[in-house]
Amino acid sequence: MSATYPAGKGEQPGRIMSGEMAEQPEMLRRILDRGAPAIRAVAAEIAARKPRFVLLTARGTSDNAALYAKYLLEITLGMPCGLASMSTTTAYGAKPDLKDVLVITVSQSGGSPDLVASTRAAREAGAVTLAVTNSPDSPLAAVSEYHIDILAGPEKALPATKTYTASLLSLYLFVEGLRGGDGAAAAILPELAEAILARKDEVKALASRYRFAERMVITSRGYGYPTAKEAALKLMETSYIPALSYSGADLLHGPLAMVDNISPVIAVVTDGRGGKALQPVLDRLRGRGADLFVVGPKAQVEAASAGFVLPTAGVAEEVQPILEILPLQMLAYEVTIARGQDPDAPRALAKVTETR
């Protein structure tokens, strides 16, 4: 399904974002068909160099994709990972020893100066550098030793949607390649994504509950935690609703005190170990009378105030985040439209954020 972009003034607000969300099933197919062989080749070369540690570098939406990769690498490969603090290099001039360290930089545009500078510095410090971008001709791709093109196609809306899911799938296939896997668990994703995105009317009805929300809390555990962070970012940058994201474990360490029966709580419940680990948190939230919105399996949604049932049967836990974010992208879009705002053009945002 291709996007139709607005011709000019007077067009429907959010038309670009809506069109790009609709492209995601076909984009996932493109990555699986055309991108997977190149990703496997890069993974094989890097695996042969036996990196001892991984540093992940990113900002914004890409940072949430990098966090997903951290879970994958640590859980499936047992490989120590960290999220880089770029200012240690770009602002303080630190020169760490990165010999035999794999530095993965995730960026939709590949143009942010701090990402480019920190990746260049990492390579000079002996790191194996990999850029994961939607722009193979970008400065970031040029300074990196290896590059993965996420094949999302041009993304014109300021809120990133398809580049996020493209990054997740590309990173999943890369980690699979590192361990010699075939990535077969992802084959079902395009079909399921299509079915989820077809439920627009269902999400629109759910969005009416949150049109006047003054604050939201979003929580999850395990593989679902990056989804919670990305959903919070999408809600904040499109609808301007303050949305606080927490690991379920962290939520119990204090922030639970702010939860009441007025401010909605969105829980991303993966079907697997992460969902089981989140269960005590869900019990506590229900005990506090929270307006609990669940994205996850049917039984969890039925026990909540509202929610969106995800098709998780037969879907490996590690690829569920690629589906989990879809109804939450739609929710951010619909809440923004209901509030009379245009999700295509959030105030104070630019497509390439030039941090240093």
Side-chain angles (χ1 to χ4, degrees):
M1 188 181 301
S2 62
T4 302
Y5 299 109
K9 292 182 179 179
E11 295 286 0
Q12 179 184 352
R15 198 172 175 191
I16 302 176
M17 182 180 177
S18 176
E20 289 174 351
M21 287 192 293
E23 291 180 29
Q24 290 175 102
E26 187 56 38
M27 178 204 70
L28 296 174
R29 290 189 182 96
R30 182 164 62 245
I31 296 169
L32 291 170
D33 294 341
R34 285 176 38 204
I39 294 172
R40 279 196 295 269
V42 168
E45 284 195 39
I46 292 176
R49 297 176 66 170
K50 296 181 170 29
R52 60 185 171 85
F53 188 85
V54 179
L55 275 177
L56 293 143
T57 308
R59 296 284 192 202
T61 284
S62 294
D63 198 34
N64 299 327
L67 180 59
Y68 167 72
K70 184 176 187 291
Y71 275 93
L72 281 173
L73 288 158
E74 291 182 342
I75 294 170
T76 64
L77 294 179
M79 184 174 285
C81 298
L83 298 175
S85 301
M86 281 174 279
S87 63
T88 61
T89 299
T90 60
Y92 292 92
K95 297 184 181 299
D97 178 6
L98 298 179
K99 184 180 178 182
D100 299 328
V101 173
L102 171 59
V103 173
I104 303 174
T105 307
V106 187
S107 171
Q108 178 267 327
S109 69
S112 184
D114 58 349
L115 295 173
V116 175
S118 62
T119 300
R120 181 186 293 113
R123 190 169 180 180
E124 291 171 353
V128 179
T129 52
L130 168 65
V132 180
T133 82
N134 195 38
S135 183
D137 298 323
S138 64
L140 178 60
V143 302
S144 300
E145 187 174 358
Y146 297 97
H147 177 255
I148 288 174
D149 184 352
I150 64 173
L151 298 176
E155 188 172 60
K156 297 183 179 182
L158 287 176
T161 54
K162 64 178 182 174
T163 53
Y164 180 68
T165 49
S167 296
L168 295 191
L169 179 54
S170 298
L171 288 163
Y172 167 74
L173 293 173
F174 171 70
V175 175
E176 279 288 284
L178 287 179
R179 70 187 190 99
D182 60 6
I188 197 172
L189 296 177
E191 178 185 347
L192 294 178
E194 213 157 43
I196 290 169
L197 291 168
R199 294 161 62 186
K200 289 185 289 187
D201 290 344
E202 182 181 340
V203 176
K204 188 173 183 178
L206 289 167
S208 65
R209 292 174 61 94
Y210 308 115
R211 177 181 178 184
F212 299 108
E214 296 182 359
R215 180 186 68 202
M216 288 188 180
V217 173
I218 308 177
T219 189
S220 189
R221 291 202 69 180
Y223 284 116
Y225 181 42
T227 307
K229 290 175 69 68
E230 174 61 11
L233 179 59
K234 283 292 149 295
L235 282 161
M236 287 189 287
E237 68 185 2
T238 57
S239 70
Y240 317 141
I241 296 173
L244 308 174
S245 59
Y246 294 98
S247 156
D250 288 334
L251 186 63
L252 295 183
H253 283 264
L256 184 68
M258 70 177 172
V259 173
D260 53 30
N261 61 356
I262 299 174
S263 298
V265 178
I266 298 175
V268 181
V269 186
T270 56
D271 193 356
R273 294 187 182 184
K276 290 177 182 176
L278 189 64
Q279 191 59 53
V281 183
L282 300 177
D283 294 341
R284 291 283 298 275
L285 288 168
R286 281 191 287 264
R288 291 187 62 82
D291 179 359
L292 182 60
F293 179 108
V294 166
V295 174
K298 184 177 181 181
Q300 295 288 353
V301 172
E302 289 177 342
S305 308
F308 187 98
V309 176
L310 274 183
T312 57
V315 182
E317 183 178 1
E318 59 266 28
V319 298
Q320 288 178 35
I322 300 169
L323 301 177
E324 289 166 351
I325 193 58
L326 300 179
L328 294 166
Q329 289 175 346
M330 291 193 288
L331 183 70
Y333 170 87
E334 293 293 354
V335 169
T336 304
I337 293 293
R339 289 163 72 94
Q341 294 150 200
D342 185 356
D344 285 342
R347 64 194 182 205
L349 290 188
K351 196 62 181 169
V352 180
T353 304
E354 297 196 353
T355 48
R356 295 184 185 273

